[in-house]
Amino acid sequence: METLVLSPLFWLLAIAGVTLTGISKSGFAGGAGVVAVPLLALVMPVPLAVFLMLPLLLAMDIKTVQYYWRHADWVQLKSIVPAAVAGITVGGLLLGRLPEDWLKLLLGILSIVFALWQRLAPLLGAMKGAAWLWGGISGLTSTLIHAGGPPINIYLIARQLPKLDWLATAGIFFGIMNAVKVIPYLLTGDWTRDLFLMSLLLLPVALAGVWLGRQIQGRISERQFALCCRALLLASGILLLAQVFWP
């Protein structure tokens, strides 16, 4: 940990990853939130990167919900939150046991296919059990590598929610998920005080990123917003596959 604290590269990657995640949270419904862990994994073990990010994600979620909660689609939340909790439960049991590359490969392929194939949205929207499928996958991948954004955005894109409804619904969804994830993370015994203190040092960066995201989303149209989310989904998928094939 002392080596990390003294490493300029660590702080550069951490600030970049946390800022992008904050912008993504309040500006693009978490579509690029997957970038932080892969960036941090360049200089620290993935499990440590996951533990480092959780307090920051919780802080970002709280701020995002403060911005948009009045626009939340509670009908959608009632469908996807129970599925996410189930996914978190499975993910908690698999923490440290499931090869990360398998998860990254599947998630990366799904993200890229959906981002490039617009006709897939109506099909996913009409799927039976789509809320349980994507909500559950989001809970699972979020618990293991903080990559819950692409799966739930696949579902929300298919539902064609208005921009503010989308941001509010995603913000509350991620906030509930990350709060629930505290339980399995604590049970591992690997979440140390030093990691938590490092998270606190990065808290101003996280809040600045959320503020920037809100400023950006207020300056783009609904159509531009949807295109940005697809672009972020594509970028997330490429980044996940890059982590698998060029570690």
Side-chain angles (χ1 to χ4, degrees):
M1 294 302 299
E2 185 178 347
T3 303
L4 282 177
V5 171
L6 298 176
S7 168
L9 179 59
F10 163 75
W11 289 109
L12 177 64
L13 292 174
I15 290 171
V18 171
T19 301
L20 286 172
T21 301
I23 292 172
S24 176
K25 284 277 187 183
S26 60
F28 304 101
V34 72
V35 301
V37 171
L39 283 177
L40 289 169
L42 297 173
V43 291
M44 65 191 303
V46 171
L48 295 186
V50 169
F51 290 128
L52 175 68
M53 283 301 300
L54 184 57
L56 299 171
L57 292 172
L58 279 166
M60 294 177 199
D61 292 329
I62 291 170
K63 198 64 182 175
T64 300
V65 171
Q66 286 179 347
Y67 286 151
Y68 303 121
W69 69 271
R70 291 182 180 85
H71 300 276
D73 188 327
W74 295 102
V75 172
Q76 297 300 333
L77 284 167
K78 288 177 183 178
S79 299
I80 55 181
V81 167
V85 172
I88 291 168
T89 302
V90 175
L93 295 173
L94 294 175
L95 273 174
R97 300 179 184 178
L98 187 69
E100 293 175 22
D101 283 352
W102 294 3
L103 199 61
K104 290 179 180 179
L105 180 63
L106 177 60
L107 187 59
I109 292 171
L110 286 173
S111 297
I112 291 171
V113 168
F114 184 79
L116 296 177
W117 188 16
Q118 295 185 18
R119 293 182 181 180
L120 194 59
L123 296 177
L124 291 179
M127 278 177 58
K128 200 170 183 179
W132 274 95
L133 173 64
W134 299 113
I137 292 174
S138 182
L140 174 66
T141 56
S142 181
T143 303
L144 295 174
I145 53 173
H146 290 321
I152 206 59
N153 273 338
I154 286 174
Y155 177 77
L156 293 177
I157 287 173
R159 306 315 295 173
Q160 298 182 340
L161 296 177
K163 178 171 65 174
L164 292 181
D165 293 21
W166 187 341
L167 288 167
T169 304
I172 293 173
F173 175 77
F174 290 130
I176 294 172
M177 275 212 308
N178 286 323
V180 174
K181 281 157 53 179
V182 170
I183 298 171
Y185 281 33
L186 285 174
L187 290 176
T188 66
D190 296 326
W191 200 2
T192 65
R193 185 173 67 91
D194 288 344
L195 273 173
F196 184 73
L197 291 175
M198 290 176 72
S199 300
L200 290 182
L201 290 175
L202 289 165
L203 183 58
V205 179
L207 296 178
V210 175
W211 180 84
L212 283 171
R214 189 187 187 194
Q215 306 309 307
I216 291 171
Q217 76 81 22
R219 288 167 170 77
I220 62 177
S221 67
E222 300 268 352
R223 181 175 178 276
Q224 290 171 324
F225 176 76
L227 288 174
C228 285
C229 284
R230 289 187 183 278
L232 290 174
L233 200 58
L234 177 62
S236 297
I238 292 172
L239 187 57
L240 285 165
L241 292 186
Q243 287 284 305
V244 175
F245 295 109
W246 297 284

